[in-house]
């Protein structure tokens, strides 16, 4: 069915359904921030390079500046506002894994997905995933430590379950 | 933000997609097929792409297939690069795909989008050129199966209204010895200085390149020189470099001279390893 200049889209964001009126050409980042007021996902490069706008679509990290909102209809969108008291958020606080904080929502969304998909991720996998995000304050070491803390806790939990 | 409007269409079959394209064309609308969309969105923002309608092919089951059929691996054009990487049924393609952009971007970038895109590196095509893969193309006259070498000459030569549906690769190629090396100017994410993919079959080494010229390629003449074992390896490589297509890229990623220097050493490493296997 043809969509006119603006159309209604039913988006499921952080477990809530939202009916939004937007252009088919609008990116998910634009709709989240400008129409839904969810400003956690940050506009950085708007070119898919920096990862500051990373959200989860069906639990997969996606750069929301590079996907149309209309593509996410009938999918589950999770933004930083949808994470509550997760281990990765706690680990970022404990390791002070940020300075200015602008890149932090994107890093946390990506790292959260990483620790869920690969609860025992190797250094190689961690590096591959975190290369998708840029931190200009260069908090990379602290971010890596935060991720590894969550993974170590995952590993300890698995070992506990075996005894 | 995309600075112009377009209509969005999501067909659920090949026939519906083709019909939509024809209808939109008849209405005078500039129309593009759309898969991952990363290139269309980012280049639109820079006014390097313009379209009045997009036809999203991700809802077409044939474009999302990943299966073995008789002696062939069949990969849908709308599979994301990470899906292919994780399935790892075609290790050379997994390796080449895993070097494109970054992990999160590869969750969206599709096999077909990478090959058919405007950005000229198109590194996912290298394994397909090396394995003499076939492509399935949909158009107003139905489906057609063609050798990739016939339709990929520097870029995909699709007619208006056609789109790439699937890629078929003979299973016998999937387990052959290979190498795929991407050299960048710096960092571990980004465009290549040079990318070389190689495959060894029947004691012959096949080689395909990206980042050397403003198009990916595989050259019979280059391969003949590289496989002329009567000469020492360094001489074979020097001969091969003389027969590269032109122009050699000379841009911010690296000068032509530096690219050839890096390429020479990369080829030396790859061929030494593959000939030793």
């Amino acid at each position: 069915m043809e969509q006119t200049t603006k159309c209604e889209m039913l988006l499921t964001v952080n477990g809530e359904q939202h009916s939004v009126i937007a252009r088919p050409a609008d990116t998910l980042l634009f709709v989240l921030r400008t129409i839904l007021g969810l400003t956690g996902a940050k506009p950085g490069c708007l070119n898919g390079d920096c990862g500051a706008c990373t959200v989860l679509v069906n639990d997969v990290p996606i750069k929301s500046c590079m996907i149309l909102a209309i593509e996410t209809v009938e999918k589950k969108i999770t933004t930083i506002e949808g994470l509550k008291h997760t281990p990765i958020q706690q680990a970022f606080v404990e390791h002070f894994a940020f300075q200015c904080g602008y890149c932090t929502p994107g890093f946390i969304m990506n790292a959260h997905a990483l620790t869920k998909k690969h609860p025992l991720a190797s250094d190689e996998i961690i590096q591959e995933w975190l290369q998708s995000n840029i931190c200009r304050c260069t908090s990379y070491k602290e971010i890596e430590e935060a991720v590894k803390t969550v993974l170590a806790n995952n590993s300890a939990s698995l070992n506990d379950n075996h005894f | 933000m995309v600075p112009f409007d377009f209509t969005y269409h999501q067909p659920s079959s090949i026939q519906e997609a083709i019909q939509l394209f024809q209808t939109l064309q008849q209405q005078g609308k500039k129309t593009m097929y759309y898969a991952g969309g990363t290139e269309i969105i980012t280049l639109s923002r820079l006014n390097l792409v313009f379209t009045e309608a997009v036809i999203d092919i991700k809802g077409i089951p044939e474009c999302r297939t990943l299966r073995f059929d008789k002696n062939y691996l069949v990969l849908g054009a709308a599979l994301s690069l990470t899906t292919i990487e994780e399935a790892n049924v075609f290790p050379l393609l997994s390796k080449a795909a895993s070097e494109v952009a970054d992990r999160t971007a590869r969750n969206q970038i599709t096999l077909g989008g990478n090959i058919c895109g405007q950005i000229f590196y198109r590194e996912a095509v290298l394994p397909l050129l090396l394995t003499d893969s076939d492509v399935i193309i949909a158009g107003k006259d139905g489906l057609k199966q063609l050798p990739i070498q016939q339709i990929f000459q520097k870029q995909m030569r699709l007619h208006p209204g056609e789109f790439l549906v699937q890629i078929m690769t003979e299973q016998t190629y999937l387990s052959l010895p290979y190498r795929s090396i991407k050299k960048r100017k710096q960092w571990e994410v980004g465009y290549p200085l040079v990318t070389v993919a190689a495959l060894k079959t029947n004691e012959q080494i096949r080689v395909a390149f990206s980042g050397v010229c403003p198009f990916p390629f595989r050259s019979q003449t280059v391969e003949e020189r590289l496989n002329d074992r009567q000469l020492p390896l360094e001489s074979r490589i020097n001969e091969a470099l003389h027969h590269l297509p032109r122009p050699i890229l000379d841009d911010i990623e690296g000068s032509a001279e530096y690219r050839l220097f890096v390429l020479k050493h990369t080829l030396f490493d790859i061929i030494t390893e593959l000939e030793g296997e």
Side-chain angles (χ1 to χ4, degrees):
Chain A
M1 191 180 94
E2 181 167 320
Q3 309 290 340
T4 51
T5 304
K6 283 194 174 184
C7 61
E8 184 180 8
M9 304 173 199
L10 196 60
L11 302 183
T12 305
V13 186
N14 303 328
E16 295 178 358
Q17 288 204 327
H18 298 269
S19 173
V20 301
I21 307 293
R23 299 183 310 146
D26 283 334
T27 61
L28 178 60
L29 176 66
F30 178 84
V31 169
L32 288 172
R33 291 179 58 85
T34 310
I35 300 180
L36 294 178
L38 296 170
T39 56
K42 300 297 184 217
C45 65
L46 298 177
N47 196 50
D49 295 323
C50 75
C53 66
T54 302
V55 301
L56 306 185
V57 177
N58 286 351
D59 298 323
V60 175
I62 294 289
K63 297 183 180 185
S64 62
C65 73
M66 287 203 303
I67 188 171
L68 302 173
I70 199 167
E71 290 180 76
T72 64
V73 170
E74 295 182 4
K75 293 181 178 168
K76 185 181 79 173
I77 302 158
T78 310
T79 69
I80 188 70
E81 291 90 344
L83 295 192
K84 301 276 193 307
H85 309 300
T86 61
I88 194 68
Q89 287 169 299
Q90 186 64 30
F92 263 64
V93 172
E94 287 172 359
H95 289 272
F96 205 59
F98 41 75
Q99 288 188 47
C100 82
Y102 198 82
C103 70
T104 308
F107 260 108
I108 287 183
M109 297 312 294
N110 193 22
H112 178 68
L114 164 63
T115 58
K116 292 290 181 192
K117 186 174 172 71
H118 297 286
L120 303 175
S122 63
D123 286 358
E124 191 181 16
I125 291 176
I126 297 170
Q127 188 178 354
E128 186 198 2
W129 280 59
L130 294 189
Q131 279 171 350
S132 303
N133 296 67
I134 294 172
C135 170
R136 288 291 75 145
C137 308
T138 64
S139 297
Y140 296 115
K141 187 69 186 164
E142 292 80 2
I143 292 168
E144 184 186 357
E145 285 169 1
V147 171
K148 285 186 170 176
T149 299
V150 176
L151 294 173
N153 289 338
N154 286 342
S155 178
S157 300
L158 284 172
N159 287 334
D160 287 346
N161 290 337
H162 285 136
F163 292 102
Chain B
M1 186 171 174
V2 179
F4 50 83
D5 284 345
F6 53 69
T7 57
Y8 175 84
H9 309 265
Q10 197 170 31
S12 54
S13 71
I14 293 170
Q15 196 174 8
E16 189 185 349
I18 297 297
Q19 185 61 49
L20 265 170
F21 191 96
Q22 288 178 294
T23 304
L24 290 161
Q25 283 262 295
Q26 283 162 6
Q27 292 170 359
K29 286 187 173 179
K30 182 172 170 52
T31 303
M32 300 182 84
Y33 290 108
Y34 183 100
T38 56
E39 186 175 299
I40 291 177
I41 292 174
T42 53
L43 294 187
S44 291
R45 193 176 64 84
L46 302 172
N47 286 312
L48 296 174
V49 161
F50 175 75
T51 186
E52 292 166 291
V54 300
I55 299 174
D56 188 342
I57 64 166
K58 292 195 293 295
I60 300 173
E62 289 90 338
C63 295
R64 295 198 317 265
T65 194
L66 192 164
R67 63 186 162 85
F68 287 98
D69 186 0
K70 296 175 185 163
N71 297 324
Y72 285 89
L73 168 67
V74 185
L75 296 174
L79 290 173
S80 73
L81 296 184
T82 49
T83 300
I84 290 168
E85 192 181 333
E86 287 174 356
N88 201 25
V89 287
F90 186 171
L92 172 55
L93 180 58
S94 295
K95 178 69 169 68
S98 74
E99 299 280 354
V100 174
D102 60 59
R103 167 85 200 189
T104 305
R106 292 196 299 276
N107 288 333
Q108 266 176 283
I109 297 171
T110 61
L111 178 60
N114 182 261
I115 294 169
C116 300
Q118 186 171 319
I119 296 171
F120 59 60
Y121 298 107
R122 307 183 188 105
E123 289 157 290
V125 82
L126 304 184
L128 311 179
L129 293 172
L130 293 176
T131 54
D132 295 331
S133 295
D134 282 354
V135 292
I136 308 293
I137 306 292
K140 62 180 168 54
D141 299 324
L143 295 176
K144 60 184 175 185
Q145 181 171 344
L146 295 171
I148 194 160
Q149 276 91 348
Q150 187 176 324
I151 196 159
F152 190 93
Q153 291 156 8
K154 299 184 180 178
Q155 61 185 22
M156 285 291 280
R157 305 283 172 182
L158 296 171
H159 295 117
E162 291 183 337
F163 68 96
L164 176 63
V165 178
Q166 291 170 339
I167 288 133
M168 297 178 64
T169 306
E170 275 186 63
Q171 280 196 57
T172 48
Y173 284 112
L174 305 183
S175 55
L176 293 175
Y178 70 89
R179 291 291 183 280
S180 179
I181 296 179
K182 180 170 183 171
K183 299 278 191 187
R184 299 177 183 83
K185 183 178 177 184
Q186 57 180 0
W187 315 118
E188 293 182 27
V189 171
Y191 293 135
L193 198 55
V194 298
T195 298
V196 184
L199 188 77
K200 185 180 178 183
T201 177
N202 298 326
E203 294 306 311
Q204 295 287 301
I205 295 174
R206 300 178 177 187
V207 192
F209 305 86
S210 173
V212 177
C213 301
F215 47 83
F217 65 92
R218 179 183 165 200
S219 158
Q220 189 181 344
T221 314
V222 167
E223 285 180 7
E224 283 171 1
R225 297 300 185 277
L226 291 174
N227 283 291
D228 180 6
R229 296 203 190 189
Q230 291 176 333
L231 296 174
L233 179 54
E234 194 166 346
S235 303
R236 287 147 57 189
I237 292 172
N238 285 334
E239 273 294 307
L241 294 184
H242 283 303
H243 289 86
L244 290 173
R246 292 293 190 269
I248 304 298
L249 281 168
D250 188 9
D251 58 22
I252 193 167
E253 303 293 340
S255 66
E257 186 183 11
Y258 183 54
R259 278 190 149 95
L260 289 173
F261 172 80
V262 174
L263 178 60
K264 182 176 176 177
H265 288 273
T266 306
L267 279 170
F268 190 91
D269 292 343
I270 286 177
I271 294 172
T272 301
E273 287 183 24
L274 281 178
E275 287 187 347
E277 288 188 10

